[in-house]
Amino acid sequence: METERVTEHKEPATGTAVPPLPPVGTPAAGGAPADSPGLPRSGAPRFGVRSAIPAAEASRTPHSSELPGSCAGGDEAEQLRSASRPRSGAGRTSSQHEAAEGPRGSGTRGGTGRAVPEPSHGGPGSASKRPSRAPSPPPTAESGAVSHPTTGDMTAADVPPAAPSGTSPDPAAPEAATGNGDAAERERRGGDRLRFVGAATRRIARGMDLDETVLGLCRASVPAYSDAILVYLRDPLPVGDERPTGPVVLRLRRSDRIPDDPHAMVAAVSTAERGQDGDAAGNPGTPASGPSLSAVSDGTAGAAEYVEVLNGGPLAEVLRGVRPVFADAPAARDALPELLGSAPEVPSGQRAILAPLRGRRRVIGAAVFLRGPERAPFEPDDLLIAAQLATHTALGVDKAVLYGREAYIADELQRTMLPDELPQPTGCHLASRYLPAAETARVGGDWYDAIPLPGSRVALVVGDVMGHSMTSAAIMGQLRTTAQTLAGLDLPPQEVLHHLDEQAQRLGSDRMATCLYAVYDPVAHRIIIANAGHPPPVLLHRDGRAEVLRIPAGAPIGVGGVDFEAVELDAPAGATLLLYTDGLVESRQRDVWTGIEHLREKLTATARLTRPDASAPLEPLCDEVLDILGPGDRDDDIALLAARFDGIAPSDVAYWFLDPRAQTAGQARRLARRALARWDLEELSDAVELLVSEVVTNAVRYAERPITLRLLRTDTLRCEVGDDVPQLPRLRQARATDEGGRGLYLVNRLARRWGATRLSTGKVVWFELPVN
């Protein structure tokens, strides 16, 4: 019933009040029942039963307070406290209840809308058996009455006072009060369980990854519901519709328990000893139901980390049944030892619950809830709570696994769209950084690239496709591939942007992107840049001066019908060029040009930290550049490419024009020998002369215009031979009767690297030899 019915008694004729029996579970100092040994060591209240019981059993019956407010923080705790308060009409007498309920045949309580069962005549709680409603005198110390809360309501544990002397006792009245109190207590405990399940499921559902979900289950269960918990999950966890092959293996993902409390430990040991040997009063002891909580808690650390579920075994049968079971159930007696392995013996009876964790399609694990002997055992209704916790945890694990797979796919897609590592071309050092917009949006359209070109040149590319989605990443990948192909043709920067614009229009009408394409020549110490609506680069000179390069902005890629303009600038040795996307300089708090000015100031301040005659190291410089972003100041992806121009000194370059005639091969050998002697590389003369002779001979055979021969000395010796024939040579195996076809075979065997690149005016064949 919703409202407790309180019976009262008439005053004795003599005017002397007979002291009532003291209510069970009267709070002692500190707010806890004085005779409640079942409180947890951490001080948090537990689920329990608080009913009217005889006074003779009150001293040895443990009582628990209501569900702790810690199960739901903040507003949830306040809602829990307000829900546990008596209603405004709970303190009325039975006659007032009858008046409020209306005619007895109506079957409903006024204003509540709930049906109230009418007691049978002559039974407990009938109107004919109720005593008169004479007001009781205020309790005094002499009368032995216990004061109630200020609301005047009686608790469910209160026992009505005995009938005064001279008045015939009515045995039906205390029985009716006891029955009504039990019903109210059951209703209160049911509400506590509902509030606990609601708070626990909200905490479990808060997690987005696997660890947060499992941790939410542990924190919600211990200590409010159980004293210890072990959570096992399949290893590996199946994803989506995957059907794992091989045996099912469970891995102990997490265990949690109440922290050790020396006082509670001593009390638990004393209780266990009294239960085995009998107490001091001579009462027969009750057999211990299992090891103490401390033993169980310590055993969670020694539980088996990996458990293989045998087909047809007891653990497999329990997991297949899905429903939680007690440890004393026939199905769980053999399943728990199989699951826990070498852990200590699990408390028997209803102090352990084995709950399978079933996701959307299959069982993905199991959870074991444990209670120590110093606490009331689980009740049948607690199986429903365990089922709810297991269901929400399993669904949360499924959600976390699917989210992790999506994040992994996004990371893999972004990683494959960007270069794994940057090349280190001759005369130039490179460094890069990439930051996604956020953890929830790991893919985007920003990219960077460095492409080696013939003649020791290098193409530097940075671009930004509009949007943060898989579509943007896919378009970015197509544009990056197109840029690499166009760079291989050695097209001018403005022509590369023109072809990228055409490609973007073929991909769709709304495919927009910005791009900046630059080509650095370390021999000429020059750089050619073309821009398509991208933020301008910043050049940091060796003396610490940062300069924003003024180049035509141009229209974004995808607009169509727009010409692009290239600008050629000096690239002094020791200078650093920074190419970046707008996510580095633009945010909600500042516009692009304010961010560019901030970047320039940051580079100038960083350069002052190094020596005046030295350049700032590239990797620390990139980290310092990213520090201009404050917390929460990043709204877009960031791609950063830094290039340090070292250049090649003129003294390390030898360049000749040779006419295509029969004597050219011998002339090329003599020129190469002189250059090697000047550089003190005579040990390479034999190999260089042989390879130069073979490559020049092939060029002379088909060329119609003068050929070029260039030697570059850096950490390697590079030889380049150019002609006006666009066909690239191919390595082939010559037959024994062939007079030619072995030149490239010799180049392939003797050179460390070699290759051929098609130019707009012909091709270049090159090879490299190591320099000791």
Side-chain angles (χ1 to χ4, degrees):
M1 298 180 66
E2 182 174 346
T3 307
E4 302 177 9
R5 297 193 178 275
V6 182
T7 60
E8 301 180 359
H9 63 281
K10 295 181 179 180
E11 294 297 323
T14 59
T16 303
V18 178
L21 295 176
V24 178
T26 303
D35 57 350
S36 178
L39 288 177
R41 292 189 293 270
S42 63
R46 302 285 191 232
F47 286 118
V49 179
R50 213 172 39 163
S51 59
I53 59 176
E57 301 179 1
S59 61
R60 66 173 183 271
T61 303
H63 296 276
S64 301
S65 59
E66 297 180 358
L67 184 69
S70 60
C71 294
D75 297 338
E76 297 172 2
E78 180 61 29
Q79 293 175 5
L80 189 151
R81 290 193 294 268
S82 63
S84 62
R85 298 193 186 103
R87 301 189 178 182
S88 60
R92 296 180 298 180
T93 61
S94 58
S95 63
Q96 292 170 340
H97 279 297
E98 291 178 1
E101 292 172 5
R104 181 168 296 278
S106 62
T108 58
R109 182 179 290 108
T112 62
R114 294 187 179 180
V116 179
E118 186 163 341
S120 59
H121 296 286
S126 66
S128 61
K129 297 292 184 178
R130 294 171 185 161
S132 61
R133 301 177 182 83
S136 300
T140 60
E142 291 79 3
S143 65
V146 180
S147 62
H148 296 291
T150 57
T151 57
D153 301 336
M154 298 180 65
T155 62
D158 292 339
V159 180
S165 60
T167 305
S168 59
D170 188 354
E175 293 178 2
T178 302
N180 295 336
D182 290 344
E185 177 67 17
R186 287 193 298 271
E187 182 177 354
R188 183 193 64 79
R189 294 175 59 200
D192 290 345
R193 286 190 172 94
L194 288 177
R195 285 188 290 272
F196 167 73
V197 171
T201 53
R202 284 193 297 271
R203 186 163 192 171
I204 294 171
R206 239 181 265 147
M208 287 299 294
D209 60 8
L210 187 61
D211 292 334
E212 289 181 355
T213 302
V214 176
L215 180 61
L217 171 64
C218 296
R219 292 293 183 263
S221 302
V222 179
Y225 178 70
S226 63
D227 297 330
I229 184 176
L230 298 98
V231 183
Y232 285 84
L233 296 179
R234 293 184 65 167
D235 187 41
L237 279 168
V239 181
D241 295 331
E242 290 182 359
R243 294 187 175 274
T245 59
V248 177
V249 178
L250 299 182
R251 175 191 172 192
L252 180 60
R253 191 75 187 192
R254 189 177 183 88
S255 61
D256 202 354
R257 62 188 177 91
I258 298 177
D260 293 334
D261 185 352
H263 300 286
M265 201 87 76
V266 173
V269 173
S270 301
T271 304
E273 291 177 354
R274 286 198 304 269
Q276 293 177 355
D277 302 332
D279 55 15
N283 297 329
T286 304
S289 59
S292 65
L293 176 60
S294 61
V296 174
S297 301
D298 294 340
T300 57
E305 185 177 358
Y306 290 93
V307 177
E308 182 177 348
V309 181
L310 303 178
N311 291 331
L315 182 57
E317 293 298 327
V318 173
L319 296 180
R320 189 178 297 111
V322 177
R323 298 181 181 276
V325 293
F326 287 120
D328 59 350
R333 289 172 184 170
D334 298 328
L336 279 173
E338 180 183 349
L339 178 64
L340 301 182
S342 61
E345 180 183 357
V346 178
S348 60
Q350 295 184 358
R351 297 185 182 276
I353 295 179
L354 175 57
L357 303 179
R358 180 175 180 83
R360 292 175 174 83
R361 291 177 176 84
R362 60 182 66 85
V363 175
I364 60 174
V368 181
F369 302 93
L370 303 172
R371 280 189 183 179
E374 68 274 13
R375 183 178 178 183
F378 291 108
E379 299 181 4
D381 287 345
D382 291 329
L383 291 177
L384 301 178
I385 296 179
Q388 287 291 325
L389 296 179
T391 299
H392 284 273
T393 302
L395 295 178
V397 169
D398 267 355
K399 175 186 68 175
V401 170
L402 291 175
Y403 175 76
R405 172 57 63 90
E406 291 180 359
Y408 169 77
I409 293 175
D411 288 340
E412 282 294 305
L413 176 62
Q414 190 69 54
R415 187 186 64 80
T416 54
M417 294 299 181
L418 298 175
D420 293 335
E421 58 181 9
L422 292 174
Q424 295 299 331
T426 302
C428 183
H429 290 81
L430 303 174
S432 63
R433 294 290 186 274
Y434 177 81
L435 294 178
E439 289 296 325
T440 56
R442 303 189 181 202
V443 293
D446 294 17
W447 90 92
Y448 62 89
D449 208 346
I451 310 168
L453 298 178
S456 299
R457 297 173 299 157
V458 59
L460 308 174
V461 189
V462 64
D464 183 5
V465 178
M466 297 182 182
H468 304 282
S469 63
M470 303 290 283
T471 302
S472 301
I475 295 174
M476 177 266 288
Q478 297 182 66
L479 293 179
R480 177 172 177 253
T481 303
T482 304
Q484 289 180 334
T485 304
L486 297 172
L489 300 177
D490 198 23
L491 297 178
Q494 65 272 19
E495 291 296 326
V496 172
L497 294 182
H498 175 73
H499 289 290
L500 285 176
D501 180 55
E502 293 180 344
Q503 176 67 12
Q505 294 181 61
R506 284 191 291 267
L507 294 176
S509 58
D510 56 346
R511 307 310 187 199
M512 305 287 291
T514 62
C515 182
L516 192 145
Y517 188 93
V519 175
Y520 170 64
D521 188 347
V523 177
H525 296 272
R526 303 284 289 178
I527 185 171
I528 304 176
I529 305 177
N531 191 5
H534 203 77
V538 179
L539 184 64
L540 178 63
H541 295 269
R542 176 176 290 185
D543 58 3
R545 180 172 54 90
E547 175 187 4
V548 179
L549 300 182
R550 300 188 177 276
I551 56 176
I557 292 174
V559 174
V562 179
D563 292 333
F564 300 97
E565 183 179 353
V567 176
E568 186 173 358
L569 303 171
D570 289 332
T576 303
L577 182 68
L578 268 74
L579 309 179
Y580 53 89
T581 56
D582 57 354
L584 180 64
V585 295
E586 184 181 17
S587 66
R588 298 177 183 176
Q589 289 78 23
R590 60 187 179 188
D591 57 20
V592 175
W593 291 106
T594 302
I596 293 175
E597 182 63 23
H598 191 188
L599 173 62
R600 190 188 65 80
E601 295 174 355
K602 182 67 175 180
L603 291 174
T604 302
T606 304
R608 293 174 182 169
L609 302 178
T610 60
R611 296 181 307 174
D613 58 341
S615 302
L618 272 186
E619 297 294 340
L621 180 63
C622 292
D623 295 334
E624 290 292 330
V625 167
L626 294 180
D627 284 344
I628 69 174
L629 301 170
D633 197 25
R634 180 157 52 91
D635 302 324
D636 197 359
D637 303 345
I638 297 176
L640 175 65
L641 179 63
R644 169 71 45 74
F645 299 147
D646 295 332
I648 300 176
S651 59
D652 294 331
V653 180
Y655 193 87
W656 302 280
F657 286 93
L658 303 176
D659 293 330
R661 54 184 182 175
Q663 298 82 4
T664 302
Q667 182 183 2
R669 289 194 297 268
R670 291 190 298 271
L671 294 175
R673 189 185 308 114
R674 295 174 187 172
L676 295 177
R678 187 171 67 250
W679 295 333
D680 296 330
L681 298 176
E682 289 86 353
E683 67 274 8
L684 300 178
S685 297
D686 294 339
V688 171
E689 288 184 28
L690 177 59
L691 298 183
V692 166
S693 178
E694 293 295 336
V695 175
V696 171
T697 300
N698 290 336
V700 169
R701 180 177 301 178
Y702 304 103
E704 297 180 357
R705 298 178 182 176
I707 63 175
T708 60
L709 173 62
R710 185 166 69 170
L711 297 179
L712 303 175
R713 184 190 66 167
T714 55
D715 54 345
T716 61
L717 180 66
R718 182 183 179 97
C719 177
E720 300 174 352
V721 178
D723 57 56
D724 59 346
V725 181
Q727 288 79 14
L728 300 180
R730 303 297 179 192
L731 181 64
R732 64 183 182 88
Q733 189 71 30
R735 295 188 297 268
T737 57
D738 291 342
E739 296 182 359
R742 297 176 178 84
L744 290 181
Y745 179 77
L746 294 174
V747 173
N748 184 61
R749 293 300 300 267
L750 297 179
R752 187 179 69 175
R753 290 196 314 156
W754 76 279
T757 306
R758 182 179 287 110
L759 304 177
S760 58
T761 58
K763 67 175 182 296
V764 170
V765 181
W766 56 269
F767 62 86
E768 292 180 353
L769 293 173
V771 175
N772 296 332

